[in-house]
Structure formats: C-alpha cells, structure tokens
Amino acid sequence: MTIAQGALSVELVDDVPMLVAYGEHRLPLRPEDHATATSGDLTALLDRQHYRLASWRTANDDLNWRRFFTINDLAGLRAEDPPVFEASHRLYLDLYAEGLIDGVRVDHVDGLTDPAGYCRTLRAHFDAITPAGADPAYIVVEKILAEGEPLATDWGIDGTSGYDFMAQVTALLHDEDGAAPLAELWADISGRAAAFEPEDLRRVRTCCPGSSRGSLAVASRRSSRWHGRRRKATG
C-alpha cells in the first residue's frame, strides 16, 4: 500500500496528532507540526520529521549502524550532544539522587560515537550529585575485551559487566580435548577445512555484503578518507 492508498494517516490520540501506519503503528510527530498535522500535506509532513519511513527491504543498504544485525526498529540517540544526554539520563540521575539505585550498567557501550567521552560524562554527572562522604556511583559497561586487552583506566568506570570473567568460567566447563573431534566432524560434514580461522573469514565475507552492507559502506568511506589524509600528510 502507498500513501495514496491510505497506508498512512494522521489521527488524534488523546488529543495529540500521531502518524498511523497501516492502521496499527503509531509514530510521534514533531511538536511544531501538531497544529497543522491533520490538515497539511502528508508527504511534506513526513519530510519534516526526525525519522524517515522506509521499507524493511532497504535496511541492508540504508542503515549505517545497527545494535543487532537484523533488528531495524530501535531508535538511536546522539548521546554525545549535551541536551540529548541530559534528557535521556534524567530518570537515572534522579533515581540515584533519591537513593533508589547505587549505579548503572551501560549496555553496548562500544556502539556509541565516543564511548570514553560518554563514560566520563556519565561519571561527572553522578559525582556531581553524590553526597559528601558517600561512595561514588557504581558504573559498569557491557564490553567484550579481546584476549589480552586491558580495560581503560581513564573512563571513570568500575569495570565490565563480566563477559571476560564468564569466558574464563565457561572454559572450566569445556574439555579442550574435545576440539579435535569436533573439528574433524565439521570437516567431514562440510567438506571444508577443520581449522576455525577460514570459517570465521568466510562468515565475515558472507555477512558484510548482506545484513551489514550499510555498515560496510560507512567503514569503506571512512577508510578511504583516512587513507586520503594520510597520503597528503606523507606525500
């Protein structure tokens, strides 16, 4: 269905105009558009919103970042912008100030534009409302550390949510002698190498042109710009 066929409309929900898609999905409109939302041109109204409606079939090409590979309906916030940070963290800071929580766990911190800057800002906000003599807020981040990778000491955090620890504990539950027969079984079933590395490379080459195509395009453009600047600096 298209706009002309009635796929989209504007309806009042509790006296607030909302965009209704396919009769069931309700999406917010900018406050500055509320006065004319029900009477103005619908296409022009959509063009003024902070989001762009698109078919899910375009996700592989258009999305330049996703938290999980094929989930397309999560909203992204520019937490690096101070007004956005203040608004999106108000509840957590209020709960901490009221003594109802002792800290926070930050989900997928590496998905942020500036993880280190975000964590330092978060620490500064909590420290600013911590009573004198009280323990500082407890802040941990969900971050998968590579083997041998140390956790940064200047982020203002207390640690990770424990993936590195869980990897060590999980290793206790697995017999390393089982790796060889599993590899042989895989080679027998697949007809390919028993080694893990070639399969991992195959996985990356399969995913990048598909569900990660948008992310790959962004990475390629950034890499090209970086190499261009590097050539100018060294040439």
Side-chain angles (χ1 to χ4, degrees):
M1 291 181 64
T2 64
I3 293 179
Q5 294 171 324
L8 303 176
S9 62
V10 176
E11 299 178 6
L12 293 178
V13 179
D14 294 331
D15 294 326
V16 177
M18 300 281 288
L19 178 67
V20 179
Y22 301 102
E24 57 177 328
H25 302 293
R26 287 170 171 76
L27 304 171
L29 297 170
R30 299 188 316 163
E32 50 265 51
D33 288 323
H34 285 185
T36 59
T38 57
S39 58
D41 179 71
L42 184 55
T43 300
L45 175 68
L46 293 176
D47 288 340
R48 295 195 298 270
Q49 301 313 303
H50 303 303
Y51 52 82
R52 179 173 65 86
L53 298 181
S55 169
W56 63 269
R57 293 180 177 85
T58 68
N60 287 344
D61 298 318
D62 292 346
L63 291 181
N64 58 15
W65 178 87
R66 280 189 271 199
R67 177 181 171 192
F68 296 116
F69 295 102
T70 55
I71 297 179
N72 309 323
D73 52 0
L74 295 176
L77 298 177
R78 296 182 62 89
E80 66 274 17
D81 291 351
V84 175
F85 182 96
E86 296 291 341
S88 58
H89 290 69
R90 187 72 271 148
L91 174 61
Y92 312 115
L93 294 171
D94 288 345
L95 292 174
Y96 178 75
E98 295 172 16
L100 298 177
I101 61 173
D102 297 317
V104 293
R105 170 191 181 275
V106 180
D107 197 40
H108 287 269
V109 69
D110 284 327
L112 295 167
T113 298
D114 179 11
Y118 169 85
C119 289
R120 296 185 190 112
T121 299
L122 185 64
R123 170 61 68 188
H125 277 69
F126 275 120
D127 286 350
I129 57 178
T130 299
D135 291 332
Y138 184 65
I139 303 175
V140 293
V141 297
E142 184 184 17
K143 180 176 176 62
I144 301 176
L145 297 172
E147 184 176 357
E149 178 187 359
L151 181 64
T153 59
D154 59 349
W155 283 24
I157 58 177
D158 296 289
T160 71
S161 55
Y163 283 142
D164 44 343
F165 172 74
M166 285 192 294
Q168 297 174 17
V169 173
T170 302
L172 296 175
L173 305 177
H174 294 79
D175 184 354
E176 63 181 14
D177 291 337
L182 284 175
E184 292 175 4
L185 176 62
W186 166 250
D188 182 57
I189 293 174
S190 66
R192 299 199 294 266
F196 171 75
E197 289 75 13
E199 292 303 318
D200 189 39
L201 180 60
R202 182 187 183 95
R203 172 192 61 82
V204 172
R205 287 176 172 172
T206 300
C207 290
C208 282
S211 59
S212 298
R213 189 182 306 165
S215 300
L216 178 62
V218 172
S220 298
R221 288 194 296 269
R222 290 181 177 176
S223 177
S224 178
R225 288 197 297 268
W226 182 83
H227 282 290
R229 290 194 297 267
R230 189 170 182 270
R231 284 196 298 267
K232 291 180 180 179
T234 58

